[in-house]
Amino acid sequence: MSAAVEFGLDTFGDVTADESGALLTDAQTIRNVVDQAVLADEVGLSFFGVGEHHRREFAVSGPEIVLSAAAARTRNIHLGTAVTVLSSDDPVRLYERFATLDAISNGRAEVILGRGSFIESFPLFGFDLQDYEVLFEERLDLFSRLMNEKPVTWSGTTRAGLTNADIFPKTENGIRAWVGVGGSPESVLRTARYGFGLMLAIIGGPASSFRPYVDLFHRTLDGAGRDRLPVGVHSPGHIADTDQQAWDEAYPAMEVNRNAIGRDRGWPPYSRLQFQHDVGPGGAMYAGSPETVARKIAETVRTLKLDRFDLKFSNGTLSHERMLHSIELYGSKVVPLVRDMLADD
């Protein structure tokens, strides 16, 4: 575990409701995401991540554009994706976009690459789901070569080959890159092989069940003679002044979101009983008062020896005002409490 653990926030740009329960427009939701990034910077957080989706529950399909708007209004916070669906994107164009974001943000751009747990982008951009694995493998291989920022010669089966291709713009210090992994040993091995940071998306079950993946990642790096690379966790949560307030605010919004997605995936209806399990010691949701959330985060950091913890603070239709309060409490109270807890180890 790093001596200085980083703390970040993630959002998928969930289309939110106002205090009367009416849904906001996609446009207003996106403007609110930029305001949320500004507050995250003001309260001293390390990272703000915006996910990519292509369905009605989420307003952000082009996260780099939203992040560029945030870059113009922030000073210190790193800005990245959570995640970029690399399988249905072009690695060259993607690297060019992030190199541009890196210039605008003065070196604060990061990218978290993923295969995509949501598959809407595949038919939307003309890709076959039967190529799910090869698309990601080939694009990750090409992206890893582009990170050297030298001419690239590459060939594959899912896009045109490159011969001594030079990509612009160049960055001043490179781009920090991670791979988002949901719990597959093969994905952990691939992340280590290509030399990316490991970002574990823990959205169900206890964090301790992911310790074998962290150990596998470090063993693989050691076996390859690579330097240590960072490990992070992305998990959902919500913070309010008391446990009950946080739970009462988060549950109705999450229920709407989970059930909308669950209808497409064949999930059973989300229940308050399931929610209370998720916020408990055996669940992956970090919801409650600052003290409750801080204790759970500190235990996760210790268990997995983390370098970064990213709280996915947007939860379905949860209002912008409540998310702002959650962000403020996370930066001003939760993070200092976690640091104090870890300092006592």
Side-chain angles (χ1 to χ4, degrees):
M1 182 175 65
S2 169
V5 180
E6 297 175 348
F7 295 92
L9 289 168
D10 289 337
T11 176
F12 292 167
D14 307 51
V15 176
T16 54
D18 62 22
E19 293 299 332
S20 73
L23 288 179
L24 303 182
T25 64
D26 290 347
Q28 186 59 56
T29 298
I30 290 170
R31 290 191 289 267
N32 287 346
V33 169
V34 177
D35 289 342
Q36 291 155 15
V38 171
L39 178 59
D41 187 48
E42 291 173 351
V43 298
L45 296 172
S46 298
F47 176 77
F48 190 87
V50 180
E52 173 197 349
H53 292 84
H54 304 271
R55 53 181 296 144
R56 68 174 59 87
E57 293 84 11
F58 308 107
V60 179
S61 58
E64 301 93 332
I65 301 173
V66 180
L67 293 167
S68 291
R73 294 180 55 196
T74 56
R75 290 189 167 208
N76 300 309
I77 197 165
H78 280 223
L79 303 163
T81 47
V83 299
T84 288
V85 185
L86 179 61
S87 304
S88 57
D89 209 332
D90 182 82
V92 174
R93 294 291 292 133
L94 180 64
Y95 196 87
E96 290 174 340
R97 297 198 304 268
F98 269 89
T100 303
L101 173 63
D102 199 62
I104 293 168
S105 65
N106 196 25
R108 293 183 283 133
E110 298 190 17
V111 60
I112 303 176
L113 306 165
R115 291 186 295 180
S117 60
F118 290 79
I119 59 173
E120 289 81 9
S121 64
F122 288 81
L124 186 63
F125 299 121
F127 293 101
D128 191 332
L129 277 172
Q130 292 185 353
D131 298 327
Y132 186 80
E133 291 293 339
V134 68
L135 280 165
F136 187 68
E137 180 72 45
E138 288 194 355
R139 280 157 165 69
L140 191 64
D141 177 56
L142 176 53
F143 194 90
S144 70
R145 300 185 191 206
L146 295 171
M147 287 183 64
N148 294 321
E149 299 199 343
K150 297 178 181 178
V152 171
T153 296
W154 179 92
S155 64
T157 63
T158 59
R159 80 174 306 280
L162 301 173
T163 302
N164 204 34
D166 213 358
I167 308 303
F168 303 96
K170 304 294 185 186
T171 66
E172 293 172 326
N173 295 292
I175 295 172
R176 190 183 193 189
W178 310 66
V179 171
V181 173
S184 160
E186 293 77 15
S187 295
V188 174
L189 291 170
R190 177 166 48 206
T191 302
R193 185 169 73 249
Y194 284 113
F196 293 96
L198 177 68
M199 183 60 67
L200 294 167
I202 304 180
I203 59 175
S208 58
S209 64
F210 285 76
R211 180 58 188 266
Y213 300 116
V214 176
D215 293 340
L216 175 62
F217 184 64
H218 290 313
R219 284 200 311 271
T220 305
L221 291 172
D222 289 343
R226 285 184 176 272
D227 293 337
R228 191 185 188 282
L229 292 169
V231 175
V233 158
H234 153 108
S235 284
H238 177 62
I239 307 158
D241 297 318
T242 67
D243 287 348
Q244 194 63 52
Q245 181 185 351
W247 300 339
D248 288 345
E249 289 177 355
Y251 174 71
M254 288 190 65
E255 181 186 35
V256 171
N257 184 264
R258 291 284 189 96
N259 287 341
I261 296 168
R263 282 191 291 271
D264 295 342
R265 299 189 174 189
W267 296 346
Y270 195 59
S271 68
R272 188 71 187 236
L273 183 63
Q274 179 62 52
F275 174 82
Q276 291 303 147
H277 173 269
D278 292 342
V279 301
M285 185 165 188
Y286 296 72
S289 67
E291 295 78 10
T292 295
V293 173
R295 284 193 296 270
K296 192 168 183 178
I297 291 175
E299 183 59 28
T300 297
V301 171
R302 292 188 193 104
T303 299
L304 299 181
K305 301 185 182 300
L306 296 181
D307 300 280
R308 190 163 87 196
F309 181 90
D310 290 344
L311 183 77
K312 196 267 187 181
F313 70 95
S314 60
N315 296 285
T317 56
L318 186 68
S319 75
H320 175 55
E321 290 73 21
R322 290 176 177 179
M323 285 190 283
L324 289 177
H325 189 51
S326 181
I327 292 169
E328 196 279 327
L329 291 175
Y330 183 58
S332 66
K333 293 190 175 183
V334 173
V335 169
L337 283 169
V338 176
R339 294 201 187 281
D340 288 345
M341 292 172 188
L342 296 177
D344 293 336
D345 291 350

